[in-house]
Amino acid sequence: LNFPGGVVQFTPELKFLHGFSDDRINCYRVLGDDGQLVSTNFVQINKETALKMYRDMVTLQVMDTIFYEAQRQGRISFYLTTNGEEAINIASAAALKSEDFVFPQYREAGVLLWRGFTLQEFANQCFGNKHDNGKGRQMPAHYGSKEHNYFTVASTVATQIPHAVGAAYSLKMEGKDACTVTYFGDGGTSTGDFHAAMNFAAVMEVPVILVCRNNGWAISTPVCDQFRSDGIVVKGPAYGVGSIRVDGNDALAVYAAVDAARKVAVSESRPILIEALTYRAGHHTTSDDSSRYRPMEEMEWWRESQNPVARFRKWLQGQGWWSGQHETHHRDSARQQVLDAIQVAEQTEKPGLEEMVTDVYDAVPSDLRRQFMSVKTASPNIHPRDYP
């Protein structure tokens, strides 16, 4: 019978659909753990692109290490790393176009790095000085850049997913040859925003790529306590969204998946869900001690055995494009550049106090003006070093 929604066949059999299957959806992979090809079904990338991908992955590692140490030294108030998720960051960014709009969660600094955000700009934001795009109003590591089509990070979980879908709908209405891409963790799929966005994206057929970094943990909550489904990939077809599961520690696989997803999103105006399986090899943030809820041996195993940067390096070396000498030189150079950027950012003065109340209202309301005057009077006395 042609019910609303389509033709349905009848059956005399009383049978419920199973809630889950013992057979998990396969995971697309190109590089094995040893950095050798296990598939020929991937997008070929040239030497220049491959080397930039690797250099940016290493730079991201170095930047994370030094900024994390800076927070531990009390020089910045907060930080979070992309430990174990460098391939998802850089490889996905490499497969996108500059005109595509990025709606990040908070672990996608590598996407911004690939697009040309400088180490000095990263440092300026983390130290909240007068050159910070956010004028010191955001927490450290909450980047944003209009120049790079990178929407400002918000800590609130999953709010960026509906934003990305709505923006994709706008691109469709304007006939733009571009898409939006949004990133979120497995914890984000446990929110209503994810499900509302998925449904809207499917019904309105918008050009959006939804990238879930399924890294096993939503802060201290493991995926087994979040859902009974086979991860995230199975949620897509239920909404009518094309989906794929990919090895998030395999840069070539991530690049190929995002490249193919973008073609579908832009040329066919259809949403695509990518579940990138990985592991959060570091603490959730500097406010977290993950040894309280998972064994340190587990973290070390993932860092060593499934390190996406090391795996990609092995492939590059096999191509004859990288060597130990290249490695030493680039890591030393990246480290010095980050240290120099921090030194400059730390010594640069903070934004003027008046920036606290600008850019929201055309004219500052009287009650906000009174609060500002109170702060302006007190702050130089409380923080004389920051407000000379």
Side-chain angles (χ1 to χ4, degrees), residues 93-124:
L96 298 170
K97 305 297 183 185
S98 59
E99 58 267 25
D100 298 330
F101 289 89
V102 177
F103 291 79
Q105 189 179 23
Y106 39 56
R107 222 177 291 279
E108 284 77 39
V111 178
L112 197 49
L113 178 67
W114 174 271
R115 292 193 164 200
F117 204 69
T118 67
L119 293 175
Q120 190 62 63
E121 289 176 302
F122 281 113
N124 290 340

Side-chain angles (χ1 to χ4, degrees), residues 216-377:
W217 295 90
I219 308 184
S220 58
T221 304
V223 292
C224 61
D225 288 345
Q226 292 187 64
F227 38 74
R228 285 289 179 265
S229 62
D230 176 13
I232 315 302
V233 68
V234 295
K235 301 180 190 293
Y239 284 106
V241 174
S243 307
I244 186 173
R245 170 174 283 164
V246 62
D247 183 351
N249 296 335
D250 178 351
L252 291 184
V254 172
Y255 182 94
V258 175
D259 179 77
R262 188 186 186 278
K263 288 182 173 66
V264 172
V266 174
S267 64
E268 301 178 26
S269 189
R270 287 198 289 121
I272 294 292
L273 172 66
I274 298 176
E275 179 187 20
L277 295 181
T278 182
Y279 185 84
R280 195 191 75 218
H283 303 298
H284 178 69
T285 69
T286 49
S287 302
D288 172 49
D289 177 7
S290 58
S291 66
R292 301 288 296 272
Y293 53 82
R294 60 181 183 177
M296 293 299 292
E297 295 79 14
E298 177 180 296
M299 296 170 63
E300 288 301 323
W301 183 85
W302 279 94
R303 285 189 188 126
E304 295 298 324
S305 298
Q306 298 297 316
N307 188 307
V309 181
R311 189 191 304 185
F312 194 49
R313 181 175 69 243
K314 292 174 184 176
W315 179 75
L316 287 175
Q317 291 172 331
Q319 300 292 109
W321 295 346
W322 197 253
S323 67
Q325 186 176 0
H326 289 134
E327 183 76 13
T328 300
H329 178 267
H330 181 67
R331 285 191 178 272
D332 289 346
S333 175
R335 177 176 175 78
Q336 191 59 54
Q337 289 178 58
V338 175
L339 290 173
D340 290 345
I342 285 179
Q343 186 173 23
V344 171
E346 195 170 26
Q347 295 174 355
T348 302
E349 64 186 35
K350 302 297 183 184
L353 275 175
E354 65 279 359
E355 298 292 358
M356 293 174 63
V357 294
T358 59
D359 300 336
V360 176
Y361 299 97
D362 179 50
V364 180
S366 58
D367 59 337
L368 191 56
R369 173 61 62 182
R370 283 194 299 271
Q371 293 176 36
F372 170 67
M373 293 307 295
S374 175
V375 171
K376 185 177 181 181
T377 302

Side-chain angles (χ1 to χ4, degrees), residues 175-208:
K176 300 289 188 180
D177 186 27
C179 68
T180 65
V181 58
T182 182
Y183 298 83
F184 47 93
D186 45 274
T189 69
S190 298
T191 68
D193 279 343
F194 167 76
H195 296 279
M198 286 284 286
N199 193 55
F200 187 98
V203 172
M204 304 310 294
E205 297 182 329
V206 301
V208 60

